[in-house]
Amino acid sequence: MTATTATVDFTALSDADAAATSDLVTRRRATTLVPDPHAAYRAQVVTAYVTAAYPSVRRSLLDEAADYDRRHPGEPSLADELHGADLGEVA
């Protein structure tokens, strides 16, 4: 009995875009959205602020928002967004 050696090209398996052979799969992959972690974090902070039952929790969230703003200077101010949430329909 003789052993045969087969060469298999696995490069297509390592790249999902290259592995897609149908136009439908390629179009579906192109329209797949990935959630923005910064937007999710901001939404969580705003929700926690609006639903906070105690002023101390709101102050803590304002401090956290100010820290976030210092770490992300090019983004809209999260602290301003929290202050705006206090204005309600006036804003």
Side-chain angles (χ1 to χ4, degrees), residues 41-82:
Y41 172 77
R42 293 173 69 93
Q44 288 175 348
V45 172
V46 171
T47 301
Y49 183 81
V50 170
T51 60
Y54 301 103
S56 60
V57 173
R58 291 180 131 215
R59 278 192 301 278
S60 174
L61 289 166
L62 278 169
D63 291 342
E64 186 175 336
D67 289 341
Y68 179 87
D69 290 343
R70 280 190 286 281
R71 290 190 312 268
H72 302 91
E75 294 182 18
S77 172
L78 181 55
D80 286 349
E81 192 169 346
L82 296 184

Side-chain angles (χ1 to χ4, degrees), residues 5-48:
T5 305
T7 303
V8 179
D9 182 15
F10 290 106
T11 55
L13 296 176
S14 65
D15 183 4
D17 289 330
T21 55
S22 81
D23 291 334
L24 178 61
V25 171
T26 303
R27 280 194 309 273
R28 282 186 182 165
R29 188 170 287 124
T31 59
T32 301
L33 299 176
V34 178
D36 179 12
H38 291 285
Y41 172 77
R42 293 173 69 93
Q44 288 175 348
V45 172
V46 171
T47 301

